[in-house]
Amino acid sequence: MQPTKPESSRRTIWYREPAETWVEALPVGNGRIGAMVFGDPTDERIQVNEETLWAGSETDRINPDARENLETARELLLDGEHEKAEPIVEEHLVGDPMRIRPYQSLADLHVRHADEPVDEYRRALDLTTGIARTEYERDGALTVREQFVSTADDVLVVRVSGDEPVSTTISMTRQQDARSGCRGENELVLRGQVIDLPDDEAGEGGRGVGFEAVVRVLDADSVTADGDRLRVEDSDEFTLLLAAETTYDGRDPTDACRDALDAASEYSYDDLRERHVREHRQLFDRVSIDLGESDPRPTDERLEAVERDGLDPDLAALYFQYGRYLLLTSSHDCRLPANLQGIWNGEMEPEWESDFHLNINLQMNYWPAQVCNLSECVDPLVSYLDDLRPSGRRTAREHYGCDGFVVHHATDAWQTTTPVWNGAVWPMGAAWLCRLLWDHYEFTGDEAFLEEQAYPIMRESAVFLLDYLVENDDGSLVTVPSNSPENRFVTPSGYESLYCVSPTLDVQLLRDLFEHCLEAMDADAVPESDDELRAELSDALDRLPPLQTGRHGQLREWLHEYEEADPGHRHISHLYGFYPSDQLTIRRTPELADAVRTSLERRLEHGSGNTGWSRAWFVSQYARLEEGTAAHEHLEELLGTYTTANLFGIHPDFETGEPIFQIDGNFGGTAGIAEMLLQSHESELKILPALPEEWSSGTVEGLRARGGFEVDVRWDDGVPEYVHVRSEDGGTCRVRTGEGAELERVETVAGEIVSFDQDADHVVAFETAPEGEYRLQYR
């Protein structure tokens, strides 16, 4: 067996040393099962997750005091009495109990070999195959371990092979609530049930989900049970299969694990590998990207060089594909959407419970899904949002006296919809998620999805918000109480307040949701009986407060002109209308776009962008401003400061500075890179709208655009040479290529010339046929 030479594959991340910490390990997954591979040649730790292993259970969190205190809080806020209103909101309008329970680690699988020195060590993750590989030599004999979570067979697969026989001990542990032991001579079982102890804050507890993980050894020359571990003796190759299940949705974990292991055991290792790779590549290979010459150094060395030498273009391309890989492996063919850490969490009590945050984070997780050609990865989010509706209806009714359904700023596997923390009375979570439903429709043109899934959810969210709106003194309709997520302002009396009347984000979310509901009605996706709702939505749109600029020329974050308590706050919620929405654009609303730019500059002047996810949002904002240099600078900062050795995005602990993994930084950064290369809002394809000098030549293939288009671009010296457009549904295709890119001809792939119009603003328009493919050739 010959060792694999360290290669500079643009789809491989690799290292010369094992991971010392969890945030250096390599993630593998299939949407339901995730694992972190450390690559230790002596005591390999593979930390395993199952997506539904959450503490807690379905809990009644309705606060009986909420509804009777709502009007008092509203009147005080409308009168500007924030200091009196805030204690009422915080005490009476939040859920009871006010706590989310955490997503937890399932197990640590240990594969122990002889403790001897090794040479020629290398560990790598091939994004194309979804396989993590560790290889090393002992006295000239090569050992190789491959690990992947099969997308085809739903098991974690570990393959150990070598030039000479090795002896191995296999064990499985969990920090709490579990026990392990052998079953027969070749199976290791870890079984338990979450014991959710009460605490002083919430006073809740009890027994949670049951769970089981089973490891089966195949192909070993000799395997025996030894207490709570298995021993493989003198085998030059063997395979471990790990199946996992919980009682989350009523399944029997023992039966489910046995069925999965029996089915997977029918295949040889080579067949398991081939089946997994084929399924994985069907989605991953849809998009390719080349931004420049590859760098042969290990990934951690390349990251270290970013601050010193700047971001090498190929590392940006690798990071882009890594984000696609993480979305594919944490949100495909599974029950729950990607949480704050996707599916990878090594703790019992992770930061922020590794929950679903709905005031930016869960939404950012899915920003790259459509444009990066992974539309199927949105399915778990759509199903989950639909599952939130029954709980959300009760919260709407009993907390606010409203129809429809409401979700606040954080939720969990148990469909919690009440406010669960101080500062959480923000009733716009579902409305923001509905933007992702509309994006899915705009990118795919799927009328059945709009009619059967998206519109019913959007409609019910809109019905709640129509009920929740109240009339202000000037006749406008406002949300109250609400807040601009997590950001405070200073009232004229000097009080720092969170709660307010109709922050800018709410106005923008309302406008998006109401307009998209009306567009859905025009698309014949709804029955005529919604005519009354159509009239209500149209009237409400006319009465929403206008967007305003402040005394600094910034886009105002609140309805009134307040002093900012934290001018460098990490959230830029009031800029939602510029990205990910398209209510504001540089061509349609140039003055407000200038106000967006001023807002970004002011935030940055005061230290904003101090987390991975917030820095990633700056990348997309500057991409929409078509300022490639600035977008690239923020991408450099994202990778140089807010990215760990394994390319995970981080949210630094504000007290200790320790890195806390949050996957939204990865997804936001990936979406930002895509936004620099292709945009499709305003009913046109913008080719290379924010291309930095560092990416002067390159290619990207397979990006998706609104209107059902798929786009390939090749460029040189910053100017497109060739654009290939595939049209799924037909219709007019409008393409903006910018100055310096003069179109020579449009033709089908068969060479037939297609007529086109080109206006003075560098926009080309031509007609397409369903499933048609077109080449745009430039001089």
Side-chain angles (χ1 to χ4, degrees), residues 306 311 316 319 572 597 599-605 607-623 625 627-643 665 668-670 672-673 676 692 694-695:
V306 171
L311 176 60
Y319 183 82
I572 49 173
R597 182 184 290 104
S599 295
L600 293 169
E601 292 169 351
R602 280 184 51 79
R603 277 287 207 268
L604 291 166
E605 287 170 4
S608 187
N610 55 356
T611 68
W613 63 264
S614 60
R615 185 65 63 167
W617 200 351
F618 279 100
V619 176
S620 290
Q621 290 284 348
Y622 277 103
L625 285 168
E627 297 182 13
T629 297
H632 189 265
E633 288 173 354
H634 289 291
L635 186 61
E636 281 189 329
E637 186 69 18
L638 174 62
L639 269 75
T641 305
Y642 301 106
T643 300
T670 295
I673 293 170
M676 295 166 72
E694 290 83 353
W695 304 348

Side-chain angles (χ1 to χ4, degrees), residues 207-476:
R207 299 176 70 84
V209 296
F211 55 87
E212 186 169 305
V214 183
V215 173
R216 180 179 294 178
V217 182
L218 302 177
D219 307 329
D221 291 333
S222 172
V223 57
T224 58
D226 182 9
D228 61 353
R229 61 195 62 199
L230 298 172
R231 295 189 184 278
V232 175
E233 302 288 348
D234 297 327
S235 293
D236 58 4
E237 62 181 13
F238 61 89
T239 301
L240 307 180
L241 304 181
L242 183 149
E245 186 58 89
T246 77
T247 59
Y248 175 76
D249 57 4
R251 299 188 186 189
D252 182 293
T254 300
D255 291 345
C257 288
R258 182 185 60 246
D259 292 347
L261 290 173
D262 287 349
S265 297
E266 294 293 319
Y267 299 99
S268 68
Y269 173 72
D270 288 343
D271 286 343
L272 286 168
R273 191 184 194 279
E274 190 275 333
R275 285 165 55 82
H276 161 72
V277 170
R278 181 175 63 247
E279 291 291 322
H280 178 82
R281 295 193 69 164
Q282 282 183 356
L283 273 69
F284 184 84
D285 284 356
R286 290 174 178 173
V287 175
S288 64
I289 185 170
D290 179 355
L291 296 178
E293 184 177 352
S294 184
D295 188 322
R297 291 176 294 178
T299 305
D300 52 343
E301 294 181 19
R302 296 173 71 181
L303 274 174
E304 291 170 1
V306 171
E307 289 190 45
R308 182 179 68 251
D309 305 324
L311 176 60
D312 69 83
D314 186 59
L315 183 58
L318 178 65
Y319 183 82
F320 169 83
Q321 290 287 40
Y322 187 62
R324 294 184 65 247
Y325 167 86
L326 292 176
L327 185 59
L328 172 56
T329 52
S330 66
S331 185
H332 179 240
D333 195 21
C334 53
R335 303 171 217 175
L336 296 173
N339 61 47
L340 279 175
Q341 297 184 198
I343 51 171
W344 299 281
N345 164 45
E347 307 294 332
M348 296 296 112
E349 296 284 342
E351 293 289 338
W352 304 291
E353 281 61 58
S354 193
D355 67 10
F356 304 112
H357 258 52
L358 276 62
N359 62 4
I360 177 61
N361 313 92
L362 181 59
Q363 290 87 346
M364 185 178 284
N365 283 1
Y366 289 89
W367 285 356
Q370 305 297 339
V371 66
C372 291
N373 216 331
L374 292 172
S375 181
E376 297 91 336
C377 292
V378 179
D379 292 347
L381 178 69
V382 176
S383 297
Y384 179 70
L385 182 54
D386 191 41
D387 289 342
L388 287 170
R389 291 162 72 190
S391 172
R393 290 175 192 133
R394 186 178 176 215
T395 299
R397 181 176 64 253
E398 299 194 25
H399 269 229
Y400 303 116
C402 295
D403 289 333
F405 88 110
V406 62
V407 187
H408 294 84
H409 102 288
T411 184
D412 54 15
W414 311 110
Q415 293 86 44
T416 295
T417 56
T418 56
V420 290
W421 284 322
N422 290 328
V425 181
W426 175 73
M428 306 300 295
W432 196 337
L433 287 172
C434 284
R435 170 78 206 192
L436 297 167
L437 303 181
W438 188 253
D439 281 343
H440 184 78
Y441 169 66
E442 282 203 309
F443 274 86
T444 65
D446 187 341
E447 293 278 355
F449 167 78
L450 180 64
E451 179 179 2
E452 298 166 12
Q453 294 178 274
Y455 180 72
I457 297 171
M458 292 162 52
R459 182 189 189 282
E460 198 166 3
S461 177
V463 166
F464 165 77
L465 289 166
L466 285 170
D467 275 1
Y468 189 78
L469 288 167
V470 297
E471 188 173 45
N472 206 354
D473 289 342
D474 61 0
S476 64

